[in-house]
Amino acid sequence: MDSRAQLIDRVNALHDEGEHQKIIALIEQLPPSSMGYELTCLLARAYINYAQPYMDSFSEHINRAAELLRSVEAEGLSDPLWYYRIGSALYWLDQEESALTYLEQCVAMDPSNAYAPELIEQCKRALDRRRIVRPVDFARLVSYFEEKDYTYEVEDGRLHTGFTHGFFIFSIANDGTDLCMWSAVREEVSMELRSRLLQGCNDWNSSTTWPKVYVATLDDGRQRLCAEQFTIIRLGMTDAQLFDNIDRFISAAEAFFKDQIERVPALGGTAE
């Protein structure tokens, strides 16, 4: 067995063990001119498998895989695995329309591919999420939290949940015309801190479009820092639009709360 065949066997063994980072290190120590078609494709496969959505470098790794595959496109056009791999890379880059073309070609050339059909369905679902406008009801609101696997409770037609810095309430309001998103810092503070909280809200509201933030005075005089946003839904939304609105509200409210807790430590439970 020659050294290249041994290297490919070693790469495939590492792949079976899930050691994708080791594969990248092993292949990338070779001069690029000596890699050839098969090792280039195996390196691209390793980048796709190594990349995880939680990584800051996720898109960079997937783009690297796509570049590698395009560099051997002339040979890949006769290889169904090449179509599958570049289709996978494009799917993870949110280029589902292009991905679909490659994945369907993979299946046409190799109907026995066990993975391409599922990825094709995922592409179609992703495209539908961006294209199909549907009425927004409470069930669709709940579906966001189900898909994200977030913990939540439903009470009186409102969805309650919590994140790092605040608790959140979501509902369909005004006879179904608005999505109401509300949140507040977990800790309430004394009236003496109201002016500092108001200044933080004024700074945010003057420089940021959404969400609106404000200070609420409770019955006992304690001060609660809140964020709120109403989004018009009477004309319906795609899943992507709905989910993006919820995502942005949560991330923006959490960012605001984090900043204010740093400015006013009592909001984080620190003694005043």
Side-chain angles (χ1 to χ4, degrees), residues 92-265:
W92 288 114
L93 291 171
D94 296 327
Q95 298 177 32
E96 291 90 356
E97 285 191 79
S98 296
L100 200 54
T101 300
Y102 288 104
L103 292 166
E104 288 176 339
Q105 182 62 27
C106 167
V107 172
M109 296 173 70
D110 178 17
S112 67
N113 187 297
Y115 303 104
E118 174 58 27
L119 205 50
I120 286 171
E121 289 306 309
Q122 290 184 37
C123 286
K124 290 179 178 178
R125 286 196 294 269
L127 289 170
D128 285 347
R129 287 164 63 105
R130 291 202 290 270
R131 292 172 174 171
I132 299 177
V133 176
R134 296 186 289 129
V136 177
D137 56 18
F138 192 73
R140 288 188 66 197
L141 174 59
V142 170
S143 72
Y144 167 88
F145 293 88
E146 288 286 342
E147 185 166 315
K148 297 283 188 177
D149 200 26
Y150 290 154
T151 300
Y152 67 90
E153 294 181 356
V154 174
E155 182 179 342
D156 297 329
R158 301 193 297 176
L159 186 148
H160 299 249
T161 189
F163 294 95
T164 303
H165 302 295
F167 60 93
F168 290 71
I169 299 175
F170 297 83
S171 62
I172 307 298
N174 302 326
D175 297 323
T177 63
D178 294 302
L179 169 63
C180 175
M181 298 178 282
W182 180 92
S183 60
V185 173
R186 298 178 184 278
E187 192 76 14
E188 295 146 9
V189 297
S190 68
M191 176 67 78
E192 285 72 20
L193 293 173
R194 180 176 175 82
S195 61
R196 292 173 64 186
L197 300 183
L198 287 173
Q199 184 60 55
C201 290
N202 290 338
D203 290 345
W204 174 274
N205 289 330
S206 65
S207 62
T208 308
T209 305
W210 48 261
K212 179 185 76 174
V213 297
Y214 61 94
V215 181
T217 301
L218 305 183
D219 291 343
D220 62 0
R222 304 282 287 176
Q223 303 296 294
R224 173 180 286 168
L225 191 61
C226 306
E228 187 174 53
Q229 182 176 340
F230 284 84
T231 299
I232 297 172
I233 58 173
R234 66 175 180 272
L235 300 178
M237 284 183 167
T238 65
D239 283 346
Q241 289 170 332
L242 175 61
F243 285 23
D244 283 349
N245 271 277
I246 299 173
D247 273 336
R248 290 190 299 173
F249 176 73
I250 293 170
S251 62
E254 282 283 289
F256 172 70
F257 293 157
K258 178 178 183 293
D259 180 63
Q260 297 309 304
I261 289 169
E262 290 173 356
R263 292 178 66 250
V264 184

Side-chain angles (χ1 to χ4, degrees), residues 265-266 269-272:
T270 304
E272 298 173 25

